[in-house]
Amino acid sequence: MSAASSNDGSAAESAAHHAFTAEEKAAVYRAIEERRDIRSFKKDPLPDELLMRLLRAGHHAPSVGFMQPWNFIVIRSEETKLQLKQAADKERRALLIHYEGEKAEKFSKLKIEALTEAPVTLCITLDPTRGGLHVLGRNSIPETDLASVSCAIQNIWLAARAEGLAVGWVSFYKKQDVRQILQIPPHVDPVALLSIGYTDHFPKQPILESSGWRKRLSLEELIYTEEWGTQSK
């Protein structure tokens, strides 16, 4: 037996030892593929212990230099959610001027957020000062703090899908409006507003795909070999 085949065998055995069961792997991939950006929620309250499981999943996300730059602001107040909705509505109206014709019509019909419908709104923030002046890895690529927060958001989203919960990412707002409403310090970025709760329906396709806004790109066209622009034949 060659050294290469021997090493391959050892690697395969090691992977098999650490791998999940077939059922567990299927559940992970199902959560990834069936995750959806939801805009329709039921008013039923979200139990504290269930929310904590989601936050724990977010807090176990990878972070460059282990800086853990996130905070989680849990919002249940109807008054606060209404203020956030008004901020999102203001930005939606401002964005409408960028579209014309059919695109403008589609945009006007899209349900962008459900901040006053979902029982919980979660604001996930980024503190660029977390970890001090010299964070391993971030000194070379400053944007890794945002990438780290994005991993926390994805963890929460996938955990919510596994729990049968719906999540909607609200991406229409001015950061300063949200800072003022939630009294967030000036140096901290409100990266995401997530509506979280129960829903009656998980669509088979993402909303923007089923509405004809955009199509999913072909994975094969996005894969290059060895260098940019070179695809396998």
Side-chain angles (χ1 to χ4, degrees):
M1 180 183 293
S2 68
S5 61
S6 177
N7 290 338
D8 289 345
S10 298
E13 290 172 5
S14 177
H17 175 72
H18 294 291
F20 293 177
T21 66
E23 291 79 8
E24 290 168 339
K25 286 187 284 187
V28 171
Y29 285 109
R30 179 185 173 191
I32 293 170
E33 293 181 4
E34 294 187 9
R35 179 212 56 79
R36 293 290 178 265
D37 198 359
I38 303 297
R39 295 290 183 263
S40 179
F41 293 85
K42 302 169 72 173
K43 285 288 188 179
D44 304 63
L46 198 63
D48 289 342
E49 62 272 18
L50 181 50
L51 178 60
M52 280 303 299
R53 289 204 294 271
L54 303 187
L55 296 180
R56 193 170 293 111
H59 189 47
H60 277 78
S63 63
V64 172
F66 205 44
M67 71 179 299
Q68 306 163 72
W70 46 70
N71 280 86
F72 309 104
I73 305 176
V74 179
I75 303 146
R76 290 192 174 93
S77 163
E78 296 300 326
E79 180 181 352
T80 304
K81 286 190 286 186
L82 179 58
Q83 292 179 49
L84 292 171
K85 176 180 174 59
Q86 290 169 345
D89 286 342
K90 180 179 70 173
E91 186 64 11
R92 176 194 175 104
R93 292 193 298 272
L95 288 170
L96 185 58
I97 65 172
H98 296 286
Y99 302 109
E100 297 179 352
E102 182 181 355
K103 208 71 171 177
E105 184 178 355
K106 285 184 177 180
F107 180 80
S108 64
K109 291 180 179 179
L110 287 174
K111 187 173 183 181
I112 301 301
E113 49 78 23
L115 285 165
T116 55
E117 291 181 19
V120 170
T121 293
L122 188 63
C123 180
I124 304 178
T125 63
L126 185 165
D127 183 351
T129 67
R130 187 75 52 79
L133 294 176
H134 302 287
V135 176
L136 182 65
R138 186 180 179 274
N139 290 336
S140 301
I141 307 176
E143 297 83 1
T144 52
D145 56 8
L146 179 57
S148 300
V149 171
S150 299
C151 288
I153 294 168
Q154 180 79 327
N155 272 18
I156 290 171
W157 215 332
L158 294 178
R161 182 64 191 91
E163 296 278 5
L165 295 174
V167 175
W169 188 336
V170 182
S171 55
F172 293 82
Y173 59 82
K174 285 287 191 291
K175 290 183 178 181
Q176 193 53 38
D177 289 339
V178 174
R179 283 194 186 98
Q180 182 176 1
I181 294 168
L182 301 181
Q183 300 184 44
I184 298 171
H187 72 282
V188 173
D189 268 348
V191 174
L193 289 176
L194 302 182
S195 299
I196 304 177
Y198 299 95
T199 188
D200 287 322
H201 177 61
F202 279 95
K204 292 184 178 180
Q205 291 180 308
I207 294 172
L208 293 182
E209 185 176 9
S210 61
S211 67
W213 187 262
R214 287 204 68 178
K215 294 182 179 180
R216 187 179 295 278
L217 300 175
S218 166
L219 174 59
E220 289 72 21
E221 294 178 359
L222 302 176
I223 300 174
Y224 298 146
T225 303
E226 304 297 346
E227 61 182 20
W228 181 269
T230 302
Q231 293 180 318
S232 299
K233 297 182 180 179

